[in-house]
Amino acid sequence: MMDLPLLSILIFLPLIGVPLLLLSRRDNMVRWLTLIILVADFLIATGLLIAFDPTTAQMQFRESLPWVPALGIGYKLGIDGISVWFLFLTALLGWICVLASWTSITVRVKEFMINLLVIQSLMLGVFCALDLFLFYVFWEAMLVPMYLIIGIWGGTNRVYAAFKFFLYTLLGSLLFLIGILVLYFHGGRTFDILALMAGSYDFPVQAGVFIAFLIAFAVKVPMVPFHTWLPDAHVQAPTAGSIILAGVLLKMGAYGFLRFSLPMLPDASHYFAPMMIGLSAVAIVYGGFLALAQKDIKKLIAYSSVSHMGFITLGIFTFTLNGLSGAIIQMFNHGITTGALFLFVGLIYERTHSRDIPSYGGMIKAVPLFGILFATFLLASMAVPGTNGFVGEILVIAGTFAVSGWAATAAVVGALIGAAYLLGLYRQMLLGPVRIPGNAKLWDLRLRELVCAAPLLIFVFWLGLYPKPFLSILGPTLDNLMSQTSPIIQAQGTRP
Amino acid sequence: MDMTLITQSVLASGPEIIIIIGACIALMLSLVPHPRQEAALIGFSLVMIILAAAMSYSLNDRPQSAYSGMFVVDDFSTFFKMLLYLGTALTVLMSGKYLAKEGVVKGEYYVLLLFSLVGAMIMVSGTDLLMIYIGLELQALSIYVLTGFLKKGVRSNEAALKYVILGAFSSGIFLYGMSLFYGLTGTTQLDQMAIILTAQDLAQDQNDPMLILATLFLLVGLLFKVGAVPFHMWVPDIYEGAPTPITGFMSVAAKAAAFAVIIRIFMDSLVVLQPVWLISVAAIAVLTLSIGSFVALVQNNIKRMLAYSSIAHAGFLLLGLVAGGDEGRSSIMLYLLVYTFMNMGIFAVVVLLNRGSDVGEPLTDFSGLAKSHAGLAFLALFFLFSLAGIPPTGGFFAKFYVLVALVSSGHVALAVIAVVLSAVAAWFYIRIIMLMYVAAPEGPRTIQITFSMKVVLLVTFMGTLLTGILPAWFLDLAGGLNGAAPLPGLG
């Protein structure tokens, strides 16, 4: 069992499905095939999560093959306590995306599903790669299917949004590539991530590479002031595109900080931490205010993402155990709740063809089940105790108070603003009188839609009420990360 | 020179001789009127190219110098010859369809193409400036004629005239540089020149105006051929006017041969001169990259756009020259190989989209291609993403390797400029993709993909894909010449 290249199977299973799709002729068959493939992939990911050994910080399920030996490039895979969760999240959102696009995508279904499969493979690859070159290939290749998903199946202004998305991320990634190369030459001509983590680099090198990485990750996260592509991309993307963007792609920026910036460039990370904390605090508050002012549901959630991702980067750069674990939990949470919110926006959009908040009202009477579930996810996004959002945010805020009172205050203010716009959204959409008569006669959630929402709902409460399994898998990896990040403190023997 | 030496020399130049004989026979064949004449010529040209390739392959085990050190057979020249065979074969396969559409089926076309191939082969094997010059002229003269092959087309005629005048001008500059070097060293043989330059400490004196002039003239003559800014003015007009397969040939084979000469002269034999040209080449590379990338943004004709794209790629290749060393050299070679695949691929698509009778090739030809021809659109998408340098295509690895060479030689700032400009360049490739996948088709159209075009598309697609996902093997090909062994029979 253990000798099977499980990670490779996990990664390439969706890609292997592509030829199958090419052969099938009817749209419905394409949908079912994609669903089956991605559910199978999800089962593998679940199996990995269950088989994952939570007692060690070592990389598990490792695979290693030479790829371009002359340049020290290998095909190396492995997962630790951080990446296993994102594999799981990606695999989970994968099949939810298929269900979410079941009726909303009616043109070029086959091409759409192929894109979903390809991006699924690449995203899984990003979280498994233990070789920087391999990581970069997955990371950059991901742009293509995402670009096509937005550009072909998006809204009216999709071409502009797709261009903006592509060029922003491409520019960031290319600087990332230069950073990788500099690290490559200073790390003894290897792209092996573990070997590069073990090396130590002079401060000027670290600072330069940190900046290059920062631009790539900051665009992806996105941090203020690199966030302007996000609202456009989200508004124009089809539902599945939005779910993938919010659920997985944004996490990759934060994952990049955790996987590369912190362990490989600890000195530079500490040096730039005040700036990062400042930018994160700005993102939390500024993103919140922007969200308050939106009349478009998707834009509102997009700006709320900017704000919520601010919590994550804030947590990461506190370098405290609380902050880091909070950040990682928050990453997972954000994938679940924001993915769910975009899913629900997509569901209601299919019914009303409107994203304009003021045109809604009184929906709870028309679609009560939708209303209740949507409200639950809004509350989770607001970090109400008992939901997953609360665990993440409280840990981040606790971690931040230990480092910077100002930033923590900003985070609390941001959480308050979050409550304001999310409750405002709830009030305007679901309560009050029905503004458009047609809205009163809408159909409520169907089985397919409930199946999409159910696993997300389970995670909202599971993580909110009993986060211990999550934290225990994370634990050893986080301890290891902490020791890599603060080598100086460790030397003095006061590592927390 | 005794008989054995002569036999040895003739054998060493066997591939060239095969192609020349082939071209002569093709010329005679083209005089025989027969309904299937063109198919016969295509088949014959391909057979000759394959024969020459087999010969080159068998010679590869025995690196040798021939014709008293004017000509050499080594890994380096074999690599480039293989690349040239590939480029020419793809051009030949593409031409049948194109010529039929344009209504200019003429046997001379293939004859000239073969002669141009010989010229390029002599360029990559030449170790004497005179030999290189002869190859250069043979290659260029054939292309001048081919450029004007659409006799009735205004654009084609204009392009041919421009090309002749500017080409002759640049050859003159190259010759002048050569004569200055002869004045300085008393020889035109590259290895002799290297010895004399080192012995006289001439290369050490970087301010010697004669040396600077000689180097720059030689370099400018060659930079003109690869279309580097500011010697790029001819590229768009000639790319637009020439028959599309010939444009592909120029962008791939002619450019590869010119780069082979640049590598041979400036990275190999006369590497002592590096301090003299390094700064200017770095500046030219950046300029070439930026002008190529930015001007391509506003082009509305696909061939003009590809012309500027090829200028931008030349800029990237020149960065490999700046990086220098073994890595720089292998990176240029690998890049040219990948570029052959992906550029010929996209040109094949352009050939298929051609509407015949000298109509222009507006970008909007691509509109809605994904709806009418999904497979072809996917291939075009793949080639375009490769040209833009997105993994997992060969284009990415080619760029990546140049960047490795650049960072390795300490030119991090240049690498940053290069990636920023390639992000700019990505824009115009993606524009076409958007047209294919989003825009509505202009009208119903059916594109017939003939068997030979299918072969071209398959070869270029596989090449672009394999160089992307299994680059190790290709890297060995391009890197196998590092630490070239001293050649027997030299000196």
Side-chain angles (χ1 to χ4, degrees):
Chain A
M1 170 77 180
M2 277 302 145
D3 295 316
L4 275 174
L6 278 176
L7 290 181
S8 289
I9 296 175
L10 178 74
I11 294 172
F12 290 105
L13 183 68
L15 214 51
I16 292 166
V18 171
L20 283 181
L21 252 60
L22 282 174
L23 293 176
S24 47
R25 300 212 170 270
R26 274 178 303 124
D27 283 352
N28 245 339
M29 191 169 159
V30 168
R31 293 190 180 106
W32 277 108
L33 260 177
T34 319
L35 184 65
I36 291 167
I37 293 165
L38 289 182
V39 167
D41 218 33
F42 171 67
L43 292 179
I44 299 177
T46 315
L48 281 175
L49 188 61
I50 293 167
F52 189 85
D53 175 9
T55 56
T56 166
Q58 295 292 318
M59 290 289 171
Q60 303 184 29
F61 304 103
R62 288 185 67 169
E63 291 170 35
S64 178
L65 288 170
W67 189 12
V68 189
L71 289 175
I73 298 171
Y75 173 79
K76 293 180 189 132
L77 302 175
I79 48 174
D80 62 6
I82 299 175
S83 41
V84 71
W85 283 107
F86 293 104
L87 278 188
F88 181 74
L89 178 68
T90 310
L92 172 69
L93 292 177
W95 62 263
I96 290 179
C97 280
V98 179
L99 285 180
S101 321
W102 204 266
T103 52
S104 60
I105 299 293
T106 49
V107 288
R108 300 200 216 173
V109 178
K110 194 194 283 184
E111 283 102 323
F112 183 82
M113 293 300 171
I114 289 176
N115 269 312
L116 276 189
L117 288 179
V118 172
I119 201 168
Q120 186 76 5
S121 276
L122 298 171
M123 290 188 304
L124 292 169
V126 164
F127 290 123
C128 292
L130 281 188
D131 181 279
L132 258 176
F133 182 82
L134 184 66
F135 178 89
Y136 186 80
V137 168
F138 284 132
W139 165 282
E140 177 110 331
M142 218 164 48
L143 291 184
V144 176
M146 196 62 215
Y147 166 78
L148 293 174
I149 287 175
I150 300 176
I152 300 178
W153 292 275
T156 42
N157 204 9
R158 58 186 186 268
V159 175
Y160 169 75
F163 260 117
K164 202 169 174 181
F165 161 76
F166 195 90
L167 290 179
Y168 261 70
T169 20
L170 180 68
L171 194 62
S173 316
L174 285 168
L175 290 171
F176 177 41
L177 181 62
I178 301 290
I180 291 176
L181 287 177
V182 171
L183 214 53
Y184 168 73
F185 284 107
H186 283 93
R189 286 190 166 246
T190 175
F191 285 105
D192 189 315
I193 290 175
L194 298 177
L196 287 173
M197 279 178 181
S200 60
Y201 314 95
D202 296 339
F203 181 73
V205 175
Q206 283 198 22
V209 175
F210 186 88
I211 296 284
F213 282 14
L214 171 64
I215 292 172
F217 301 149
V219 168
K220 216 51 157 212
V221 166
M223 297 176 72
V224 175
F226 299 102
H227 65 287
T228 57
W229 64 270
L230 186 76
D232 286 310
H234 265 317
V235 169
Q236 300 302 330
T239 304
S242 289
I243 295 175
I244 292 175
L245 254 182
V248 185
L249 254 59
L250 303 193
K251 306 299 156 321
M252 284 176 184
Y255 180 76
F257 282 126
L258 288 170
R259 178 64 79 227
F260 305 117
S261 300
L262 260 54
M264 291 180 192
L265 317 162
D267 300 337
S269 297
H270 279 278
Y271 180 78
F272 286 110
M275 180 182 87
M276 300 301 292
I277 289 177
L279 282 177
S280 307
V282 170
I284 293 173
V285 178
Y286 180 63
F289 275 119
L290 284 175
L292 262 181
Q294 300 306 320
K295 296 246 177 297
D296 181 309
I297 312 174
K298 273 191 152 182
K299 256 197 175 141
L300 187 145
I301 302 176
Y303 281 116
S304 85
S305 283
V306 174
S307 177
H308 285 140
M309 292 306 288
F311 276 97
I312 293 169
T313 44
L314 182 64
I316 292 174
F317 282 91
T318 58
F319 304 110
T320 56
L321 194 58
N322 278 340
L324 278 169
S325 46
I328 295 165
I329 292 181
Q330 195 61 3
M331 278 161 79
F332 189 77
N333 286 341
H334 184 259
I336 296 283
T337 42
T338 311
L341 289 179
F342 275 116
L343 172 72
F344 273 69
V345 172
L347 295 181
I348 199 74
Y349 182 78
E350 266 186 72
R351 290 163 168 76
T352 61
H353 297 283
S354 167
R355 289 191 312 263
D356 188 32
I357 301 172
S359 76
Y360 283 95
M363 300 301 286
I364 195 103
K365 289 164 207 148
V367 281
L369 202 52
F370 171 89
I372 292 165
L373 289 176
F374 191 49
T376 315
F377 289 117
L378 282 176
L379 290 175
S381 184
M382 220 181 297
V384 167
T387 63
N388 57 350
F390 177 72
V391 181
E393 278 193 15
I394 202 76
L395 281 170
V396 169
I397 291 173
T400 312
F401 263 117
V403 177
S404 157
W406 282 110
T409 314
V412 173
V413 171
L416 280 175
I417 302 170
Y421 60 75
L422 291 167
L423 285 175
L425 177 68
Y426 178 73
R427 183 180 58 79
Q428 292 189 58
M429 277 184 75
L430 296 161
L431 306 180
V434 180
R435 291 210 181 78
I436 296 172
N439 282 357
K441 296 191 192 73
L442 294 174
W443 63 98
D444 207 349
L445 293 187
R446 300 202 164 140
L447 182 64
R448 171 181 62 84
E449 295 160 341
L450 283 174
V451 171
C452 295
L456 300 173
L457 198 66
I458 292 171
F459 275 102
V460 164
F461 289 113
W462 180 21
L463 274 172
L465 299 172
Y466 188 61
K468 192 162 169 291
F470 195 95
L471 288 170
S472 69
I473 285 188
L474 217 51
T477 312
L478 265 185
D479 288 341
N480 185 33
L481 181 65
M482 294 282 294
S483 68
Q484 283 170 323
T485 316
S486 36
I488 306 152
I489 300 170
Q490 189 191 23
Q492 293 164 352
T494 54
R495 188 170 68 81
Chain B
M1 203 187 226
D2 60 42
M3 263 331 266
T4 51
L5 269 180
I6 293 176
T7 330
Q8 193 207 343
S9 295
V10 170
L11 258 178
S13 59
E16 283 80 1
I17 293 173
I18 291 176
I19 298 285
I20 289 177
I21 293 174
C24 294
I25 297 175
L27 185 61
M28 285 187 273
L29 274 180
S30 70
L31 296 174
V32 184
H34 191 277
R36 296 189 58 83
Q37 184 206 45
E38 173 158 55
L41 276 172
I42 292 178
F44 181 75
S45 310
L46 287 177
V47 168
M48 290 325 264
I49 291 171
I50 290 167
L51 275 182
M55 180 90 190
S56 290
Y57 183 75
S58 70
L59 282 173
N60 188 34
D61 300 336
R62 286 167 287 146
Q64 54 191 302
S65 170
Y67 300 112
S68 332
M70 292 182 87
F71 187 92
V72 73
V73 177
D74 51 11
D75 286 349
F76 178 78
S77 68
T78 310
F79 175 88
F80 272 100
K81 276 180 196 169
M82 291 299 178
L83 214 160
L84 293 171
Y85 298 140
L86 176 73
T88 317
L90 292 173
T91 313
V92 169
L93 282 171
M94 264 192 238
S95 301
K97 167 107 179 160
Y98 181 85
L99 294 179
K101 245 187 200 166
E102 293 284 349
V104 281
V105 183
K106 287 255 168 56
E108 302 98 287
Y109 180 91
Y110 300 99
V111 178
L112 287 166
L113 203 54
L114 288 181
F115 273 121
S116 185
L117 169 63
V118 178
M121 286 162 70
I122 295 175
M123 279 168 83
V124 304
S125 265
T127 45
D128 184 299
L129 285 178
L130 274 174
M131 190 63 128
I132 291 173
Y133 180 74
I134 289 169
L136 192 79
E137 282 301 282
L138 179 57
Q139 181 252 97
L141 280 171
S142 315
I143 293 192
Y144 298 154
V145 185
L146 284 170
T147 305
F149 208 75
L150 307 174
K151 271 191 301 195
K152 293 187 180 138
V154 181
R155 291 185 307 162
S156 182
N157 278 309
E158 183 193 323
L161 190 64
K162 267 190 192 161
Y163 200 11
V164 172
I165 294 172
L166 290 172
F169 185 62
S170 75
S171 297
I173 291 177
F174 182 78
L175 264 184
Y176 194 57
M178 206 163 113
S179 68
L180 285 177
F181 264 115
Y182 185 72
L184 277 169
T185 60
T187 176
T188 53
Q189 249 176 41
L190 287 173
D191 46 348
Q192 297 293 330
M193 276 166 65
I195 292 167
I196 292 166
L197 282 175
T198 324
Q200 296 184 347
D201 281 345
L202 267 174
Q204 260 56 51
D205 183 13
Q206 291 159 25
N207 294 322
D208 180 4
M210 187 78 127
L211 190 72
I212 293 175
L213 267 186
T215 312
L216 289 186
F217 270 87
L218 212 56
L219 193 64
V220 166
L222 290 167
L223 288 179
F224 178 92
K225 299 287 178 200
V226 300
V229 175
F231 319 108
H232 68 291
M233 297 302 184
W234 61 278
V235 180
D237 288 344
I238 284 146
Y239 272 39
E240 190 192 348
T244 310
I246 295 304
T247 312
F249 181 78
M250 274 194 279
S251 70
V252 165
K255 185 183 269 180
F259 264 106
V261 173
I262 289 180
I263 295 176
R264 173 91 72 193
I265 298 182
F266 292 100
M267 294 177 86
D268 245 14
S269 309
L270 303 186
V271 73
V272 284
L273 293 176
Q274 202 200 30
V276 179
W277 54 258
L278 192 65
I279 301 286
S280 8
V281 170
I284 287 174
V286 170
L287 212 59
T288 308
L289 250 179
S290 27
I291 300 270
S293 308
F294 278 108
V295 182
L297 291 177
V298 294
Q299 298 304 318
N300 290 318
N301 177 300
I302 173 72
K303 275 160 85 181
R304 284 188 90 81
M305 198 216 85
L306 286 174
Y308 281 105
S309 124
S310 110
I311 293 174
H313 282 280
F316 225 100
L317 284 159
L318 286 175
L319 286 177
L321 180 63
V322 173
D326 286 345
E327 260 174 350
R329 187 165 61 164
S330 323
S331 74
I332 297 179
M333 292 166 67
L334 186 77
Y335 200 115
L336 284 168
L337 177 70
V338 175
Y339 187 67
T340 303
F341 285 122
M342 61 191 182
N343 218 37
M344 285 315 249
I346 195 72
F347 270 105
V349 177
V350 177
V351 166
L352 284 171
L353 289 176
N354 183 298
R355 292 163 190 273
S357 57
D358 200 40
V359 198
E361 298 84 1
L363 281 186
T364 46
D365 270 6
F366 280 93
S367 301
L369 192 64
K371 281 215 181 75
S372 53
H373 301 83
L376 191 63
F378 171 75
L379 286 179
L381 169 131
F382 191 77
F383 295 132
L384 288 167
F385 273 126
S386 181
L387 284 165
I390 309 290
T393 59
F396 165 69
F397 195 81
K399 283 208 163 95
F400 169 78
Y401 198 35
V402 173
L403 292 175
V404 168
L406 266 181
V407 175
S408 164
S409 61
H411 296 98
V412 180
L414 278 180
V416 171
I417 295 174
V419 296
V420 170
L421 288 171
S422 42
V424 175
W427 177 282
F428 56 79
Y429 297 119
I430 296 170
R431 234 176 91 197
I432 302 182
I433 294 171
M434 230 33 326
L435 278 176
M436 292 195 299
Y437 280 89
V438 177
E442 287 185 323
R445 61 194 302 202
T446 44
I447 297 169
Q448 282 192 339
I449 307 180
T450 57
F451 175 71
S452 60
M453 289 309 284
K454 275 185 192 152
V455 173
V456 172
L457 288 174
L458 183 73
V459 169
T460 49
F461 173 73
M462 289 311 288
T464 313
L465 183 69
L466 288 180
T467 44
I469 56 176
L470 296 171
W473 189 72
F474 296 91
L475 205 59
D476 285 348
L477 277 185
L481 46 120
N482 291 343
L487 302 180
L490 244 177

